[in-house]
Amino acid sequence: MSTRKPPIALVTGACRGVGRGVAVGLVKAGFRVHATGRSIALADLPEEVRRLSCDHLRDEETDKVFQTIEADGGGLDVLANCAWGGYERMVENGVFTWPAPFWEQPIHRWTSMMDVGVRAAYVCSARAARLMVPRRHGLIVNISFWATQKRVGNVLYGISKAATDKLTSDAAEELAPFGVTAISIYPGLVRTEAVLAAAASGAFDLSNSESPEFIGRVIAGLYSDSGLMKRTGQALVSKYHIQTQNRQVLTWLSIYGYFGARGRVHRQPQGMSSRNSAIRTVNRIRSQKPGQRNDISARGLRCS
């Protein structure tokens, strides 16, 4: 009988949406999961999840979370930065305001995307590094999106996701000598509660969407890959996971390679017969002119 201890993960923003899905997915993959959120006590999560109430706009509450994890003595293996408020209040007074011009955007979206999203990821990454670096082991995952590469409906959205990817790439360089990996993951269109509500008003087509738990499965696969450090600093795409499964989850993720400054795919994956087609698809998305549709249904990919 194996006595190996389960890896320990912290998932921020796990009350709902992608964060909740990541927590559920990691529990199913055998992780011991700590989950944070302002209303985490009320979240629909497995009983195995340790709930830590936290408003990540308050640094003292974030510090308390990491002090609790450190006091447990088991260290921290995975940090999944999922705290995000950018999809809150997408529909206001019956109007879908999220894609409005930036000069018409309510200022609360800056706080929701830049503070609840980017700043929280930065602070949590710094706190996690203090636990991971001495052990020379760990994985930090930031949830990002295609908006870092081209405009996707909202100026603030692009700013926040570009900042998230820059956090990933620069932090990866500083963490690499200590054996800690940092990666951005681009989900597809995820059926979060906010997205489902917006879809009800006709804002989204959910025919090519994915479940929130899916990203948790992807992170578990990343963590188990022995060559993970080769991916550090990269932005990886999750959507091809289901459609091309024949190896490890890293092969599925890497089918789109990674992106350079101009959004072109630079690395081609190994062992995939459809790799060139996938790369052409991503580069075609990158070269679209403003106003063109941002979905490529033949490849099972949405950039909404």
Side-chain angles (χ1 to χ4, degrees):
M1 182 177 178
S2 174
T3 58
R4 183 179 178 181
K5 295 182 179 179
I8 298 173
L10 169 62
V11 181
T12 69
C15 295
R16 57 185 180 275
V18 170
R20 176 190 168 277
V22 168
V24 172
L26 289 175
V27 166
K28 291 180 178 179
F31 282 71
R32 181 183 175 191
V33 176
H34 301 270
T36 69
R38 289 171 296 178
S39 56
I40 196 69
L42 303 176
D44 181 16
L45 290 166
E47 61 180 13
E48 298 94 329
V49 173
R50 184 175 187 180
R51 302 163 188 249
L52 301 172
S53 179
C54 179
D55 180 349
H56 285 288
L57 289 175
R58 300 177 179 273
D59 292 345
E60 64 275 14
E61 294 188 17
T62 298
D63 288 342
K64 185 177 179 180
V65 167
F66 283 92
Q67 289 165 5
T68 298
I69 294 173
E70 184 175 19
D72 283 350
L76 180 64
D77 299 297
V78 174
L79 167 65
N81 281 314
C82 302
W84 172 254
Y87 300 142
E88 296 177 355
R89 291 185 279 177
M90 298 173 79
V91 178
E92 299 177 285
N93 298 320
V95 179
F96 185 55
T97 62
W98 198 83
F102 75 90
W103 59 89
E104 296 179 5
Q105 288 285 334
I107 200 62
H108 69 72
R109 289 210 170 101
W110 177 275
T111 300
S112 297
M113 295 187 187
M114 298 301 296
D115 294 343
V116 179
V118 181
R119 188 182 187 280
Y122 176 86
V123 172
C124 289
S125 295
R127 301 298 188 270
R130 296 174 188 174
L131 299 179
M132 294 175 174
V133 165
R135 300 172 65 225
R136 306 185 73 85
H137 171 79
L139 168 63
I140 296 174
V141 175
N142 294 315
I143 303 299
S144 190
F145 198 57
W146 299 95
T148 194
Q149 304 293 330
K150 72 172 296 176
R151 184 181 180 280
V152 180
N154 184 298
V155 170
L156 271 176
Y157 192 48
I159 293 171
S160 64
K161 294 308 181 184
T164 297
D165 278 5
K166 189 60 174 172
L167 168 62
T168 294
S169 62
D170 285 10
E173 285 196 32
E174 297 186 1
L175 291 168
F178 303 98
V180 179
T181 303
I183 285 174
S184 287
I185 290 182
Y186 291 8
L189 180 62
V190 183
R191 295 187 298 275
T192 64
E193 295 87 346
V195 168
L196 289 173
S201 66
F204 294 116
D205 174 8
L206 300 179
S207 61
N208 199 29
S209 59
E210 63 194 45
S211 72
E213 292 82 3
F214 174 75
I215 300 300
R217 293 161 52 196
V218 169
I219 293 173
L222 281 166
Y223 179 76
S224 67
D225 189 272
S226 60
L228 178 59
M229 182 54 72
K230 297 177 182 178
R231 319 286 180 182
T232 196
Q234 296 179 18
L236 302 175
V237 182
S238 66
K239 185 61 182 177
Y240 235 68
H241 176 105
I242 295 298
Q243 295 171 337
T244 60
Q245 52 184 350
N246 71 355
R247 281 195 176 184
Q248 298 289 326
V249 71
L250 247 295
T251 304
W252 303 328
L253 281 164
S254 298
I255 193 161
Y256 291 126
Y258 67 93
F259 302 106
R262 296 185 179 180
R264 310 299 289 184
V265 175
H266 290 298
R267 174 173 295 178
Q268 295 189 12
Q270 301 297 318
M272 284 289 185
S273 61
S274 58
R275 64 189 181 190
N276 291 330
S277 176
I279 290 169
R280 286 195 299 270
T281 298
V282 173
N283 285 335
R284 180 148 50 96
I285 293 169
R286 301 279 67 76
S287 63
Q288 283 180 337
K289 297 178 181 179
Q292 286 184 283
R293 287 175 59 85
N294 283 332
D295 64 283
I296 307 295
S297 59
R299 286 290 120 201
L301 172 66
R302 281 194 67 87
C303 300
S304 299

